[in-house]
Amino acid sequence: MLFYKAWIETRVRFLAGLVAAAVVCIFYLEQHAWLVSMWAADLQNPHGYHMKWMPLGIHEYGWYLWHYLYDNYLQQVWALFAILFAFGGLIRERNGGTVLFSLGLPVSRRRWLFTRLLVALLESIGLSLFAVLVIAVGSAAIHETFSLSQVLLHTALMVAAGVFVIAFGNLCYTLFPGNYLSLILTLTLLGAPYLWLQTYMQHMRYLGRTPWIGYLDFAHTMAGPWQITWTTTPWMALLVAWTLTAFLLMATVAHGDRLDY
Amino acid sequence: MAAVIETIELKKNYGNHEAVRGLNLSVNAGSVCAFLGQNGAGKSSTIKMLLGMIHPTSGGGSIFGHRIDEERESLLIRQKVAFVAEDKRLYDYMSVGQIIHFTRSFFPKWNHALETQLLERFELPPERKIRQLSKGMRTKLALLLGFARGCELLILDEPTEGLDPVAIEDVLQIVVSLAAQGTTVFFSSHQIAEVEQVADHVLMIDHGQLVLNASMYEVQEEYRQIQAVFTDPVEERDLRLPGVERVKIEGHIASFVASRNVDSIVEHVRMLRAGNIDVLPISLKEIFLEKVRARS
């Protein structure tokens, strides 16, 4: 029943997430032919815009999907909604006035927390799998073929590294008072370093450098390389993400156990 | 009789404010115990500590022998205790039927017959969303969710707040009927008439400290309002005797509440050459006011 409660509290967000993911996927699938023809025209024009990745973008549909969806926009939409799915819990119930009813039930604080986190994780997985479905249907509609196993691996990597986002969001909700304030602070605290680090690391990689802070570039970890194999999977960065996730969860539990309602 | 609830030197501070100050209380099994006090006296903080919702600053307590300050034991407590909070807000996105179904899943001894009976008695439509219920209807629903749990102990924080007189009467009857079936009831209230109607024991708290711990029988039999008219002026210290509460002297008239030793107090007053002594029964409300005024 706790799952049922968490689900009905978040189902509107989940449906909104599905719509957002569908919009992003459909937009970039629809833009594929136009972008490819534009890059091809650029490459043929000696004064045109030339980038190293352009031939890959023209000839490899899998690269196109990875670049626009898993390395950029779908990932960002997914991360945003993963945070929103994790939004809630006993602190939010305290603001809403229902926390005493919830805490009067024979359910431990940790069970409340982990049920909500599990539902958020399942919804995040559901969202990413829905995106795969949209990609499959959309690709068929534009007569393009792709490797389903690669897309599923990208999905798995996005979720596997993205658990950090869910845990971070949940800790922020537990720490900061006020529904809107906590949401804004969470998005700021997570979004600002996310975007800065992504930009900084892109620059570093362009220069051929790999500083240690690269392990904290979760956007890069979530995206992975465009062709995922056992050896190209960023295991070390995943380990860092999972370790930090574990610390965040421990901090949330410790703080939640101490709170007075 | 075994104590169901026990606290020992229970304290709770919020910053510099001492909400509960060394509370020692005991509630016996099968009793209907009223917990009285002004707003901010520490009633809700005490109840929340009993149920693990807030952590004691020091001291401790137990319910059914389980320690209140340990999460694992608190979980066992909440399996045996039905709690209805003062703030009776419920999940407003659920319907009446959904929240009953939700709550029922946590309590194996759920009383289905009582649930059906109360749904009808309180006229609660199962399909209606909680956000569409009036405050009174929400209170009735919260009480239904507490009463039907089939628990051994019922803790109610201001159970009748926001109810009309007919509903209040219904609720009090249910409390009495559950107590008759062996449920221990511990409830806080500002409605002293209700307390007199259903409680068999009274605990009174003021500024976080217990100021009265007596059975209703003791309150009715032993507490007396005494008014004495003296021929010569008397001073307050002349009337400082065991059992005498706050003394009020106006000219030659002294009035005070005696909590025990009424006969010896009257004898003492007589020896102070009181011309006229009236010994009157006193209501719980007057005792409450005396206790509160004496401390403030």
Side-chain angles (χ1 to χ4, degrees):
Chain A
M1 289 309 280
L2 295 181
F3 285 100
Y4 168 71
K5 175 180 177 289
W7 159 244
I8 56 176
E9 281 174 359
T10 53
R11 61 188 170 185
V12 173
R13 283 174 241 167
F14 180 65
L15 292 174
L18 295 185
V19 171
V23 166
V24 167
C25 291
I26 291 168
F27 178 77
Y28 282 100
L29 292 177
E30 199 271 329
Q31 293 287 301
H32 176 252
W34 180 76
L35 285 168
V36 165
S37 63
M38 189 182 75
W39 295 332
D42 271 340
L43 286 178
Q44 281 171 1
N45 180 0
H47 304 292
Y49 184 63
H50 288 210
M51 292 297 284
K52 269 197 296 187
W53 49 262
M54 279 180 169
L56 210 53
I58 293 166
H59 301 294
E60 293 287 351
Y61 181 62
W63 182 91
Y64 176 86
L65 288 179
W66 168 79
H67 176 69
Y68 278 104
L69 299 179
Y70 291 96
D71 195 23
N72 277 292
Y73 305 106
L74 178 62
Q75 184 197 99
Q76 285 158 12
V77 167
W78 183 89
L80 174 68
F81 278 93
I83 291 172
L84 291 174
F85 298 156
F87 183 80
L90 293 173
I91 291 285
R92 301 281 76 76
E93 285 202 32
R94 180 165 66 179
N95 297 339
T98 58
V99 72
L100 296 184
F101 177 76
S102 297
L103 288 175
L105 299 171
V107 179
S108 68
R109 295 178 183 202
R110 291 179 187 194
R111 200 169 142 210
W112 279 113
L113 171 71
F114 286 111
T115 303
R116 174 159 284 280
L117 284 174
L118 191 56
V119 170
L121 179 63
L122 290 174
E123 286 174 335
S124 305
I125 292 170
L127 181 63
S128 61
L129 291 176
F130 176 75
V132 174
L133 181 70
V134 174
I135 291 168
V137 173
S139 297
I142 60 169
H143 309 294
E144 291 288 346
T145 54
F146 67 99
S147 163
L148 182 63
S149 62
Q150 277 298 310
V151 169
L152 286 173
L153 282 172
H154 280 300
T155 300
L157 188 61
M158 184 170 72
V159 175
V163 289
F164 171 81
V165 172
I166 298 174
F168 186 87
N170 202 266
L171 176 63
C172 289
Y173 301 145
T174 312
L175 289 175
F176 304 125
N179 286 340
Y180 295 110
L181 179 68
S182 64
L183 187 59
I184 290 165
L185 283 172
T186 304
L187 291 173
T188 309
L189 286 175
L190 203 59
Y194 174 95
L195 294 174
W196 174 80
L197 205 58
Q198 198 177 26
T199 313
Y200 174 74
M201 284 308 299
Q202 273 170 2
H203 181 63
M204 286 291 113
R205 278 190 286 273
Y206 179 76
L207 298 175
R209 293 184 204 159
T210 49
W212 65 269
I213 204 167
Y215 290 120
L216 298 177
D217 183 3
F218 294 120
H220 188 64
T221 310
M222 286 164 78
W226 82 272
Q227 280 179 315
I228 300 183
T229 61
W230 180 260
T231 49
T232 59
T233 302
W235 292 114
M236 187 53 82
L238 271 179
L239 194 64
V240 170
W242 290 337
T243 307
L244 289 175
T245 302
F247 279 121
L248 291 175
L249 290 178
M250 282 192 286
T252 310
V253 166
H255 181 65
D257 282 352
R258 280 193 6 249
L259 276 175
D260 280 345
Y261 292 93
Chain B
M1 219 182 291
V4 167
I5 302 175
E6 253 184 332
T7 68
I8 298 156
E9 289 300 317
L10 192 64
K11 284 185 187 174
K12 181 65 191 175
N13 297 347
Y14 297 105
N16 293 329
H17 172 66
E18 292 179 302
V20 178
R21 298 191 286 182
L23 196 65
N24 293 297
L25 64 80
S26 172
V27 177
N28 289 333
S31 67
V32 179
C33 181
F35 195 35
L36 296 176
Q38 288 179 286
N39 290 331
K43 301 189 299 294
S44 292
S45 290
T46 303
I47 290 173
K48 285 180 182 178
M49 279 191 280
L50 291 174
L51 294 166
M53 293 162 183
I54 59 175
H55 302 287
T57 304
S58 65
S62 65
I63 295 185
F64 295 115
H66 303 297
R67 288 182 56 176
I68 60 170
D69 52 352
E70 286 194 3
E71 174 72 10
R72 199 171 294 177
E73 299 214 22
S74 178
L75 204 57
L76 297 173
I77 289 171
R78 279 176 278 144
Q79 286 170 355
K80 298 176 183 176
V81 177
F83 169 58
V84 181
E86 182 182 7
D87 187 349
K88 294 172 185 69
R89 272 183 283 182
L90 300 164
Y91 311 135
D92 60 4
Y93 48 82
M94 285 191 187
S95 68
V96 171
Q98 279 175 321
I99 202 161
I100 289 173
H101 186 60
F102 174 79
T103 312
R104 193 165 56 199
S105 69
F106 297 100
F107 296 94
K109 292 182 186 169
W110 184 267
N111 189 335
H112 292 272
L114 187 60
E115 173 203 318
T116 312
Q117 185 197 327
L118 293 182
L119 269 175
E120 199 177 316
R121 196 155 159 186
F122 290 155
E123 297 175 340
L124 290 164
E127 69 289 346
R128 186 161 314 161
K129 289 277 182 200
I130 290 168
R131 71 168 70 93
Q132 295 168 333
L133 296 178
S134 66
K135 190 185 174 197
M137 295 286 265
R138 278 204 305 272
T139 301
K140 288 176 185 175
L141 178 58
L143 289 166
L144 181 154
L145 295 172
F147 291 149
R149 288 180 194 188
C151 290
E152 298 161 57
L153 170 64
L154 196 53
I155 297 182
L156 309 170
D157 199 354
E158 305 288 345
T160 57
E161 199 184 22
L163 292 179
D164 61 68
V166 176
I168 289 173
E169 198 54 38
D170 279 348
V171 169
L172 296 181
Q173 277 179 20
I174 295 161
V175 167
V176 169
S177 131
L178 288 171
Q181 291 164 33
T183 307
T184 307
V185 183
F186 181 63
F187 73 106
S188 78
S189 180
H190 291 301
Q191 306 301 320
I192 293 174
E194 290 171 14
V195 171
E196 285 179 317
Q197 194 178 335
V198 297
D200 53 31
H201 200 94
V202 183
L203 297 171
M204 207 176 277
I205 184 174
D206 192 48
H207 292 91
Q209 287 183 311
L210 203 62
V211 292
L212 176 68
N213 179 1
S215 70
M216 280 303 283
Y217 177 81
E218 286 170 332
V219 168
Q220 285 159 358
E221 293 298 311
E222 295 185 15
Y223 274 76
R224 288 290 180 269
Q225 171 79 49
I226 298 175
Q227 199 171 63
V229 181
F230 295 91
T231 47
D232 300 322
V234 284
E235 290 186 27
E236 193 197 332
R237 64 165 186 258
D238 298 329
L239 295 163
R240 277 189 206 146
L241 300 166
V244 172
E245 306 282 320
R246 192 174 66 102
V247 179
K248 201 168 91 182
I249 296 175
E250 282 177 0
H252 289 252
I253 302 169
S255 55
F256 51 88
V257 171
S259 58
R260 58 186 193 278
N261 305 328
V262 172
D263 291 342
S264 54
I265 291 168
V266 169
E267 191 58 36
H268 178 83
V269 170
R270 209 165 267 143
M271 282 167 63
L272 292 172
R273 296 201 292 174
N276 185 27
I277 306 170
D278 287 328
V279 180
L280 307 165
I282 184 167
S283 70
L284 188 58
K285 182 180 174 182
E286 287 167 307
I287 295 172
F288 177 76
L289 293 173
E290 275 300 320
K291 293 279 183 189
V292 170
R293 282 178 193 148
R295 293 176 59 83
S296 59

